[in-house]
Amino acid sequence: MSEEFSQYRSRGIDIFTDRCGDITKDIKKLLKNKEKIKVLELGPGYGKVLLELKQIFGDKIETYGITHQKEWSEKKIKKFALANKMFSKADVDNNIPQIYFQDLNYNLKLPSNKFDIIFSQSSFQHVSSKALALEETHRLLTKDGIARIHLQP
């Protein structure tokens, strides 16, 4: 990983798996019944898990992130992906997650039943209204959707 990027904002699938279980198994399971699924990370930071999932599953997944901090933009994620040689310059734009700038402490302005997988690995401790955030997570999930949320002490 490039020295310019904080290790705490760039945790990947390996650390997520240790904390919350194997999200790649969840995706494989869902892809048995769908051609494409939508994956949402709450508080993606540099989006490393989403980028790694795109490396593994390619066009079989659409990736999204929600953050209320404007500095965690698609531009910053693209810079991270290029600096860490996750995608070539020619391919990077097609693999960057779409970022929604919204606050998990309020009702989200997204349609219900939109995402097949929703996960968060290190942002939930910053949410003051955890009950509302969990209700919104449930609302956003498809009928057979899966949520993996790391609830830090």
Side-chain angles (χ1 to χ4, degrees), residues 5-48:
F5 299 99
S6 165
Q7 67 181 10
Y8 301 108
R9 294 284 186 154
S10 57
R11 298 176 180 106
I13 289 175
D14 55 341
I15 292 173
F16 182 80
T17 298
D18 288 344
R19 290 177 172 192
C20 298
D22 191 346
I23 195 169
T24 62
K25 285 184 182 178
D26 297 336
I27 292 172
K28 289 174 187 173
K29 176 183 170 187
L30 291 169
L31 284 172
K32 287 180 182 178
N33 299 316
K34 289 185 166 187
E35 289 183 29
K36 183 179 269 192
I37 65 166
K38 295 179 180 180
V39 179
L40 172 68
E41 183 173 8
L42 309 175
Y46 296 116
K48 187 174 183 185

Side-chain angles (χ1 to χ4, degrees), residues 5-138:
F5 299 99
S6 165
Q7 67 181 10
Y8 301 108
R9 294 284 186 154
S10 57
R11 298 176 180 106
I13 289 175
D14 55 341
I15 292 173
F16 182 80
T17 298
D18 288 344
R19 290 177 172 192
C20 298
D22 191 346
I23 195 169
T24 62
K25 285 184 182 178
D26 297 336
I27 292 172
K28 289 174 187 173
K29 176 183 170 187
L30 291 169
L31 284 172
K32 287 180 182 178
N33 299 316
K34 289 185 166 187
E35 289 183 29
K36 183 179 269 192
I37 65 166
K38 295 179 180 180
V39 179
L40 172 68
E41 183 173 8
L42 309 175
Y46 296 116
K48 187 174 183 185
V49 173
L50 294 170
L51 294 167
E52 289 175 337
L53 290 173
K54 283 297 278 186
Q55 287 177 318
I56 296 167
F57 295 102
D59 290 339
K60 293 180 181 178
I61 64 170
E62 293 177 15
T63 56
Y64 303 85
I66 289 181
T67 182
H68 70 280
Q69 298 173 313
K70 295 286 186 189
E71 71 264 21
W72 297 107
S73 64
E74 293 163 10
K75 183 178 178 181
K76 186 174 263 191
I77 293 171
K78 178 178 178 177
K79 185 176 178 183
F80 175 83
L82 289 170
N84 290 281
K85 299 176 176 42
M86 298 181 81
F87 294 99
S88 69
K89 285 184 181 180
D91 292 333
V92 72
D93 287 330
N94 294 326
N95 291 290
I96 298 300
Q98 180 179 344
I99 301 300
Y100 297 108
F101 292 104
Q102 297 190 34
D103 191 333
L104 287 170
N105 289 303
Y106 303 97
N107 291 324
L108 299 171
K109 295 171 182 74
L110 295 169
S112 299
N113 307 309
K114 180 173 174 74
F115 300 100
D116 300 289
I117 294 181
I118 298 176
F119 71 96
S120 179
Q121 65 174 325
S122 59
S123 295
F124 229 73
Q125 80 264 19
H126 302 293
V127 175
S128 59
S129 183
K130 289 176 180 48
L132 176 60
L134 289 171
E135 287 173 7
E136 282 295 279
T137 297
H138 182 262

